[in-house]
Amino acid sequence: MSSLSTEHKLPEIIIPEDYNYLAFFISLNCNLKCHYCINLNDKNSARKDMAKHHMDGSDWAKAINRLNIGRDDLPVTLQGGEPTLHKDFYRIVNETDDSIKLDLLTNMAFDPEVFIRNVPVKKFTREAKYAAIRVSYHPGYNDIDELIKKTLRMAEAGFYVGIYSVLVPENKAHIDDVMARCKGLGIDFRVKEYLGFDGEKWHGEYKYMDAISQHERKSCLCKTTELIAGPTGHVFRCHSDLYANRTPIGHILDPDFRIEQIFRPCDWYGFCNPCDIKVKTNRFQIFGHTSVEIKDIHELN
C-alpha cells in the first residue's frame, strides 16, 4: 500500500488510563498454517484478504509515534500473523521513538543474526514480569530445537526472549517435556490456555459464554480497553471485527482520529473472538481482566 504520509506532524492520540493493550497487527501474513490458529477462529475470518494489503513502514512509525501513552508499563505490541514478515519491519522498529516501549509477538521466522544487527537491544527492553519478545511455539508446525537455538542466541545478544505455547490438549505431554527442557536451559517458557471449539466443546474461561456460540447473532453495546489496528492502519472495535474485516471505526493516521471511551452498538454478539471475551491476566499479570465490557444484549432486529 502506498504511503499515507502527511505534511504536518499528526496530533497526539491520548491513550486512556484504563487501556490495557495496544495491538498493532502490522501483517496478517504467516509462514505457518496451524489448524488451531486463534486468528481463524471466526467462521467469517477474512485474514487471507487482509493479508494482501499493508501500510508501509514509515507510516506505521508515524502512527506509533503519535501515541501519547503516558506510562512505561504499556508497550505497543507488534504482532500478526507474523509481524517480521512485513517488508519494512526493521524500519518500523528503528523509526519508532525510543521513548515508546515495544513488544513483539513472533514465531521467530526471522534470522536472529539479521535481527541482532538491525535492532538495538533498547528497542525491546523494559521493566516487566514477562519478556518483551514473546516467541510462539506451535507443536507440529514449527521446530522447538530451532526456537531454542535462536532464543539462546538472542539472549546472548542481550534480548529478553520468552517462549510461549498454547496448551492444546493433544500436545500436553509434549509441552510439559519442552517446558522442563527450557527451564533447564534458563529459558522463560510459559503456556497459554487453548481457546476455541474443538468440535465437541469450547475451551477457555469466558466472561460472556454465549458470545462465542457462532450460531445466533444478537445486538449489544460493547466497550473496549484495547487499541487494535490492522495491516492497513484501520482501527477496529475488537479482534472479531479485525479478522472478519468489518467496518473499522477509523484510521490510525487520520488527523482527527481519537480514542472514545464509549459503548458502541454491535450486531455480531454471538460471533465474538475468544481473545476479546476470555478472562485473562492484564499487563500486570493479574488474573481477572477481560478486554471488553458488554451490556444491553438483546435479539437482533
Side-chain angles (χ1 to χ4, degrees), residues 5-298:
S5 59
T6 56
E7 295 181 5
H8 305 289
K9 185 177 179 180
L10 291 165
E12 290 184 337
I13 296 175
I14 307 298
I15 304 300
E17 184 62 32
D18 67 340
Y19 262 46
N20 186 69
Y21 201 48
L22 309 177
F24 280 28
F25 292 77
I26 62 175
S27 175
L28 285 178
N29 286 323
C30 189
N31 54 304
L32 305 179
K33 299 183 183 299
C34 306
H35 72 274
Y36 45 77
C37 179
I38 193 67
N39 292 19
L40 300 179
N41 181 80
D42 302 300
K43 290 181 179 179
N44 297 318
S45 174
R47 192 177 79 169
K48 290 183 179 179
D49 292 332
M50 295 187 68
K52 299 175 184 177
H53 307 288
H54 297 84
M55 190 162 72
D56 73 20
S58 180
D59 282 334
W60 272 117
K62 289 175 185 175
I64 297 172
N65 288 335
R66 70 180 298 206
L67 302 180
N68 184 340
I69 301 173
R71 51 199 188 276
D72 290 338
D73 58 34
L74 183 59
V76 173
T77 302
L78 305 179
Q79 57 190 283
E82 173 49 43
T84 64
L85 293 181
H86 192 293
K87 65 181 181 64
D88 295 331
F89 173 75
Y90 294 114
R91 183 175 185 179
I92 296 170
V93 171
N94 286 301
E95 290 187 7
T96 293
D97 192 277
D98 289 344
S99 64
I100 296 179
K101 306 299 182 182
L102 293 176
D103 275 14
L104 175 64
L105 303 187
T106 176
N107 62 41
M108 249 182 181
F110 58 84
D111 181 337
E113 300 303 331
V114 175
F115 192 101
I116 292 166
R117 285 199 305 269
N118 284 278
V119 178
V121 172
K122 65 181 179 181
K123 288 291 185 178
F124 292 98
T125 300
R126 62 186 180 81
E127 293 293 327
K129 297 180 179 180
Y130 54 92
I133 299 177
R134 299 188 288 284
V135 177
S136 54
Y137 170 48
H138 305 273
Y141 295 94
N142 56 357
D143 188 311
I144 188 60
D145 293 331
E146 181 182 16
L147 294 184
I148 288 175
K149 181 179 178 180
K150 289 183 175 181
T151 297
L152 292 174
R153 177 67 186 102
M154 293 281 285
E156 182 183 34
F159 292 96
Y160 178 18
V161 180
I163 300 179
Y164 285 64
S165 186
V166 175
L167 194 57
V168 179
E170 65 206 58
N171 297 324
K172 185 179 185 309
H174 169 69
I175 290 175
D176 287 344
D177 290 342
V178 170
M179 180 182 291
R181 180 182 171 191
C182 287
K183 184 177 180 180
L185 293 169
I187 296 174
D188 183 4
F189 184 97
R190 307 189 190 191
V191 295
K192 301 183 74 173
E193 67 176 332
Y194 172 54
L195 302 174
F197 188 66
D198 66 3
E200 296 182 0
K201 66 176 182 179
W202 284 94
H203 294 263
E205 182 178 347
Y206 303 98
K207 185 173 181 179
Y208 309 97
M209 190 62 211
D210 58 338
I212 53 172
S213 65
Q214 301 206 14
H215 291 303
E216 181 184 3
R217 280 175 57 186
K218 293 184 179 180
S219 294
C220 68
L221 294 174
C222 184
K223 183 171 72 170
T224 185
T225 56
E226 298 184 347
L227 175 61
I228 299 175
T232 60
H234 287 96
V235 179
F236 294 88
R237 297 176 300 185
C238 60
H239 290 83
S240 184
D241 278 3
L242 166 71
Y243 299 139
N245 198 20
R246 300 188 188 113
T247 302
I249 59 174
H251 195 281
I252 199 68
L253 288 180
D254 182 346
D256 295 325
F257 177 77
R258 68 185 188 280
I259 295 175
E260 298 178 284
Q261 294 178 278
I262 60 175
F263 281 90
R264 298 179 184 275
C266 176
D267 290 337
W268 288 96
Y269 184 89
F271 287 80
C272 298
N273 186 278
C275 289
D276 296 311
I277 57 170
K278 72 174 182 177
V279 181
K280 56 187 176 182
T281 56
N282 62 13
R283 67 184 186 280
F284 304 113
Q285 299 297 282
I286 299 173
F287 187 77
H289 173 73
T290 306
S291 299
V292 300
E293 181 182 353
I294 300 175
K295 66 179 185 180
D296 193 21
I297 303 165
H298 54 275

